[in-house]
């Protein structure tokens, strides 16, 4: 399939520290991709490189074949972005913001934006600053979607929203996915937010990609092995995490052809997404590379 | 982009127009008073007759005593104004976007950021030119009669009339834009831009400006009135020039000794004519080093070019940094 995003050897350095390094990804069009990682992992950096807000120190980002680093009007036009804390011009009315979007974009679906906001009961005459946090997030999303982007990028869209606003926001995103088949890339550090809607996973930690793939494949590719505790530190290929308990030892492993046969006393179980992600995030830094 | 720029800066535009309107209202009404006095005191004819004599001396002294103070207060009040206007408006271009996080909204629409900033600079810059040119026009009209006497090189005149006010404001504006990019905070950007403005503006006024062209030196018949500051009778014919230095010299052109100067200033003369005659008997001359009044526009153009050139350099740097910076 033609990739929505092709990222090769991407890196960004601030002074002497690398916020992101050696990042290579191919993300399929039409998917809803979760970008997961702890705070400071480089999620916002990666998203700002994809939206052209940051210029890479090394490597390239292509969005549907367009170089995002160039920051050209065509490249900007195909990415809709809702930044962290969904910034809006607080003094602008909602209709001012829509007029701004119409003036600053190559494509603009005015009807779509007005319909979405109308359905949510957000008055166009109101100043952005006087709207609730959930409404501001919806306005920011409507602005991003009215561009008719091929890729929608959402940076921590659900942070600072109450549960109802979260549900409404995700509902609006999923409606757009269903209606327009757009590709969505959204970051969060709350895994539960993403599990229900995402079909792809990118796991970022310490500025490098730990894991990337379709969620089904990732879950199929991992197993939790439980066996009797022995004194020796277990070692086997594809070992992600070891957990010791009183009598048992739990091994989270990547399945593969080279996996050795296990003693029949060991049990093998599938892994949940949240557990899997936590296992990767908990790995000590030195084993990362 | 035009509507967007207008929507973002319309409050500043209204504030600028209000400032022009209030200034015009205040100074045009008071300007009529000055014009009336200028005619009634007969200042105009005195100026046309060169040095005029004692009658003109007192007429002009009275006129300047009355109005020179207010005309020069104008420069005290309004000198920092271009720096403030420019810094505040300039800082709002980038610092406000960074401070409120809206740069991430603005630069993910389909207008590349360098183009976005270029258009904003051009439109807001045009607004600044319009407002400052209007202010300059008001000041020029208001100061007109006083300028006839004291010349347009007087600090209150040169800095507010002609092109200089516009040049200063554009320079402070450019400093505000660049400071906003570097500091990303509105208030620090305003403070930095204003400090940078003063750091350039003051040395130019007090040191650099007099060197734009080589000054003219003249030896004139001596007079005891030369040291009376702005109220003294013009010592050169025509509109008063910008006198850089003047003093009594002896036959060989050397400045007179402090002892002799002391002696002359202590001595009470029956009138200006008697004093002047005494100086002639001593064989003294008045040496004046000055920039002629007709160089006003040359100096204005040089000064404006200097500040507009600096502004262009700062804005060019800003656009270049914005293009290549990673955030």
């Amino acid at each position: 399939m033609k990739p929505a995003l092709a990222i090769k050897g991407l890196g960004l350095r601030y002074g002497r520290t690398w916020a992101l390094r050696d990042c290579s990804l191919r993300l399929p069009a039409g998917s809803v991709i979760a970008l997961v990682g702890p705070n400071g992992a480089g999620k916002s950096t990666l998203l700002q490189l994809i939206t052209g807000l940051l210029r890479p120190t090394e490597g390239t980002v292509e969005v549907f074949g367009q170089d995002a680093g160039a920051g050209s009007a065509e490249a900007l036009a195909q990415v809709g972005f809702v930044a962290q804390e969904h910034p809006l011009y607080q003094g602008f009315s909602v209709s001012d913001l829509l007029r701004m979007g119409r003036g600053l974009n190559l494509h603009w679906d005015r009807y779509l934006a007005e319909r979405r906001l109308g359905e949510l009961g957000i008055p166009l005459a109101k100043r952005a600053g006087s709207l609730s946090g959930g409404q501001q997030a919806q306005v920011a999303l409507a602005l991003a979607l009215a561009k008719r982007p091929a890729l929608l990028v959402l940076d921590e869209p659900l942070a600072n929203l109450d549960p109802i606003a979260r549900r409404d926001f995700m509902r609006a995103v999923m409606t757009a996915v269903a209606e327009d088949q757009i590709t969505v890339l959204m970051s969060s550090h709350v895994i539960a937010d993403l599990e229900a809607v995402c079909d792809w996973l990118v796991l970022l930690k310490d500025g490098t990609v730990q894991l990337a793939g379709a969620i089904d494949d990732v879950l199929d590719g991992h197993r939790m092995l439980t066996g009797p505790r022995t004194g020796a530190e277990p070692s086997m290929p594809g070992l992600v995490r070891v957990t010791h308990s009183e009598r048992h030892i739990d091994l989270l492993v990547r399945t593969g052809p080279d996996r050795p046969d296990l003693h029949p006393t060991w049990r093998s179980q599938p892994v949940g997404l949240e557990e899997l992600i936590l296992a990767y995030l908990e790995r000590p830094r030195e084993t990362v590379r | 982009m035009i509507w967007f720029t207008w929507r973002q800066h319309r409050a500043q535009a209204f504030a600028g127009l209000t400032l022009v309107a209030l200034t015009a209202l205040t100074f045009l009404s008071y300007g009529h008073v000055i014009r009336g006095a200028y005619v009634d005191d007969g200042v105009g004819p005195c100026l046309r007759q060169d040095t005029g004599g004692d009658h003109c001396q007192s007429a002009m002294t009275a006129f300047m005593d009355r109005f020179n103070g207010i005309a020069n207060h104008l420069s005290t009040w309004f000198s920092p104004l271009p720096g403030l206007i420019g810094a505040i408006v300039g800082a709002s271009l980038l610092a406000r976007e960074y401070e409120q996080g809206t740069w991430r909204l603005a630069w993910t629409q389909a207008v590349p950021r360098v183009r976005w900033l270029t258009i904003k600079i051009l439109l807001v810059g045009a607004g600044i030119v319009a407002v400052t040119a209007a202010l300059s026009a008001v000041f020029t009209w208001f100061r007109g009669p006083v300028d006839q006497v004291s010349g347009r090189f007087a600090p209150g005149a040169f800095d507010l009339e002609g092109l200089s006010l516009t040049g200063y404001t554009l320079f402070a504006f450019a400093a505000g834009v660049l400071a906003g990019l570097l500091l990303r905070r509105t208030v620090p950007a305003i403070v930095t831009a204003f400090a940078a403005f003063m750091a350039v503006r003051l040395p130019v006024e007090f040191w650099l400006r007099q060197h734009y062209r080589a000054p003219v030196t003249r030896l004139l018949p001596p007079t005891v009135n030369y040291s009376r500051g702005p109220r003294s009778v013009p010592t050169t014919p025509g509109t008063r020039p910008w006198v850089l230095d003047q003093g009594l010299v002896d036959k060989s052109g050397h400045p007179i000794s402090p002892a002799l100067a002391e002696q002359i200033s202590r001595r009470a003369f029956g009138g200006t004519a008697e004093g002047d005659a005494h100086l002639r008997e001593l064989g003294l001359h008045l040496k004046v080093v000055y920039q002629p009044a007709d160089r006003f526009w040359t100096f204005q153009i040089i000064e404006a070019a200097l500040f507009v050139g600096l502004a262009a350099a700062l804005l060019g740097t800003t656009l270049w940094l914005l293009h290549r910076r990673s955030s």
Side-chain angles (χ1 to χ4, degrees), chain A residues 29-131:
Chain A
S31 49
V32 179
I33 304 142
L35 176 62
V36 179
N39 290 330
K43 298 193 298 292
S44 283
T45 302
L46 177 59
L47 295 185
Q48 291 188 4
L49 285 163
I50 290 166
T51 52
L53 282 173
L54 293 174
R55 303 252 189 279
T57 311
E58 58 181 32
T60 55
V61 184
E62 282 186 4
V63 180
F64 291 100
Q66 294 261 11
D67 180 11
S72 66
E74 290 73 24
L76 289 167
Q78 51 177 3
V79 182
F81 182 46
V82 177
Q84 214 164 349
E85 286 146 15
H86 33 80
L88 297 172
Y89 291 107
Q90 301 287 306
F92 281 33
S93 69
V94 176
S95 59
D96 284 343
L97 288 165
L98 295 180
R99 186 165 174 188
M100 173 196 82
R102 197 177 69 199
L104 303 191
N105 282 290
L106 301 182
H107 323 287
W108 188 253
D109 192 335
R110 183 183 174 179
Y111 170 74
L112 176 79
E114 287 177 0
R115 179 171 60 85
R116 281 185 180 285
L117 295 173
E119 282 168 6
L120 293 159
I122 296 174
L124 297 185
K126 249 189 158 180
R127 270 165 30 101
S130 63
L131 297 174

Side-chain angles (χ1 to χ4, degrees), chain A residues 54 89 91 96 104-105 147, chain B residues 7 97 108-110 113 326:
Chain A
L54 293 174
Y89 291 107
D96 284 343
L104 303 191
N105 282 290
K147 288 175 75 172
Chain B
R7 179 62 188 82
E97 301 280 348
T108 49
Q109 309 301 311
R113 57 188 155 183
S326 46

Side-chain angles (χ1 to χ4, degrees), chain B residues 122-148:
Chain B
L122 291 175
L123 293 174
V124 177
I128 286 177
V129 170
V131 166
T132 52
L135 285 175
S136 281
V138 172
F139 294 143
T140 306
W141 186 87
F142 170 75
R143 280 192 58 104
V146 176
D147 287 349
Q148 294 289 320

